[in-house]
Amino acid sequence: MRICSLLPSATEIVFSLGLGDHLVAVTHECDYPAEARRLPIVTRTAIAEGGSSKDIDHHVNQAAHTGSSIYALDQALIERLDPDLILTQELCEVCAVSSDTARAAVQRLPGERTILSLGPSTIEGILQTIEHVGAAAGVPERASAVVEAMKERIGRVAATAATAPIRPRVFAMEWLDPPYTAGHWVPEMVRLAGGLDALGREGAFSYETTWPVIAKWDPEVLVLMPCSFHLDRTLEELSRLDLPDEWRRLTAVQSGRVYAVDSAAYFSRSGPRAAAGLEILGEIIHPELFRRTSPPDAWQSVR
């Protein structure tokens, strides 16, 4: 089987199923595991590398307004690599190549191909996605093993967090400028980790909010997780933001409970490392219950 992955989470799923040798193509954002970086890249983005949150948001909104895509496929390379299973997504056109774009590319290939479009919006959906990839690749038993291991980790965090006497107010911030709430599975993760995020909507898209709204919620724990940003980029972006007065008045800021995380690794991608993301939230929200076991580059306190 020759597999083409058009989103980073699918690449991680394929490797978790022991099928890395079957991957023939990945995206420009597929950076985990390290072996993925050595594979042919069949996508590119129109967004300039290193752009600020505000610049990226403007570019994405402009593309949506004009009906254009921020991603492009290398059709010639796909034809040469000749995949028979293509993994794409239908959840978010900002996050990766859309399923419509992938189908248009595959229609130009001779013979029959299998396109599996992934679109989980909840933790259960992530688990089902892994099973769907396993079934399409002919290794359902491997997928079941990965899912059971994830369920055990998720259940362990939820059970421990349930013993907490309080549930602090949390704001998981999916974009910094302008501010966005977290969406899809992240609000659910906050709840399972023992926090309360009234601004996020479980299983729904993130949405733009305002600093007065955030200030009214007044989170006791603020988690910075810009979509697809690694920790170092989040810290860099934060350092150049002109933060409003509302920021300084937040309980989380005044009490030193602001944290930046590696969102690209643990929160933006609907793959096996979502279980680790839940464990990270447990460490952040309830340090009295969870001993830190995540690596140093997974998250850090922001002073």
Side-chain angles (χ1 to χ4, degrees), residues 167-168 170 189-191 193-196 221 223 257 259 280-288:
R167 297 172 63 85
V170 177
M189 293 168 74
V190 171
R191 172 173 57 81
L196 179 63
V221 179
V223 186
R257 299 206 65 187
Y259 307 91
I280 288 168
L281 285 179
E283 296 169 1
I284 288 174
I285 298 171
H286 287 291
E288 77 283 3

Side-chain angles (χ1 to χ4, degrees), residues 2-271:
R2 299 171 63 80
I3 304 173
C4 171
S5 170
L6 296 181
L7 67 162
S9 61
T11 297
E12 295 188 23
I13 291 171
V14 170
F15 273 98
S16 75
L17 299 177
L19 297 174
D21 291 343
H22 293 266
L23 266 175
V24 298
V26 295
T27 78
H28 61 283
E29 294 183 321
C30 292
D31 56 7
Y32 184 88
E35 295 90 328
R37 301 177 184 178
R38 297 194 287 268
L39 293 169
I41 295 173
V42 293
T43 67
R44 64 181 184 276
T45 177
I47 296 178
E49 186 175 351
S52 68
S53 292
K54 189 172 184 178
D55 291 340
I56 294 173
D57 181 74
H58 174 74
H59 193 118
V60 169
N61 286 332
Q62 187 176 45
H65 180 71
T66 59
S68 59
S69 174
I70 61 174
Y71 296 102
L73 284 174
D74 188 332
Q75 181 71 36
L77 181 55
I78 290 178
E79 291 177 3
R80 288 200 302 272
L81 296 172
D82 195 30
D84 45 42
L85 174 60
I86 298 90
L87 303 175
T88 182
Q89 61 90 36
E90 56 189 28
L91 187 65
C92 177
E93 294 196 4
V94 175
C95 300
V97 174
S98 70
S99 60
D100 289 342
T101 300
R103 292 182 190 281
V106 171
Q107 285 176 357
R108 298 172 61 181
L109 301 177
E112 293 189 4
R113 316 285 165 150
T114 298
I115 299 179
L116 182 60
S117 186
L118 313 175
S121 60
T122 63
I123 291 177
E124 179 61 29
I126 293 174
L127 301 177
Q128 291 175 354
T129 290
I130 295 172
E131 292 179 331
H132 292 162
V133 174
V139 289
E141 72 290 342
R142 297 185 193 178
S144 295
V146 172
V147 166
E148 287 306 312
M150 289 181 66
K151 285 183 177 179
E152 182 178 350
R153 294 172 70 179
I154 293 168
R156 187 162 54 244
V157 172
T160 301
T163 67
I166 60 169
R167 297 172 63 85
R169 298 186 305 277
V170 177
F171 179 47
M173 193 171 178
E174 193 171 291
W175 203 247
L176 302 185
D177 186 18
Y180 269 73
T181 69
H184 297 132
W185 49 85
V186 174
E188 181 183 4
M189 293 168 74
V190 171
R191 172 173 57 81
L192 292 176
L196 179 63
D197 187 350
L199 300 183
R201 301 167 180 168
E202 292 191 20
F205 283 99
S206 61
Y207 62 91
E208 184 177 343
T209 185
T210 66
W211 282 106
V213 170
I214 297 169
K216 184 176 181 181
W217 173 237
D218 192 21
E220 298 165 279
V221 179
L222 178 57
V223 186
L224 310 178
M225 50 173 65
C227 184
S228 299
F229 279 22
H230 288 293
L231 177 61
D232 55 353
R233 188 172 181 188
T234 297
L235 295 173
E236 178 187 358
E237 179 69 11
L238 181 64
S239 70
R240 59 186 182 184
L241 280 185
D242 183 17
L243 294 168
D245 291 338
E246 288 95 340
W247 166 279
R248 287 174 278 276
R249 292 197 294 266
L250 295 177
T251 296
V253 174
Q254 293 184 353
S255 61
R257 299 206 65 187
V258 180
Y259 307 91
V261 302
D262 186 337
S263 182
Y266 303 108
F267 297 98
S268 302
R269 300 178 184 178
S270 53

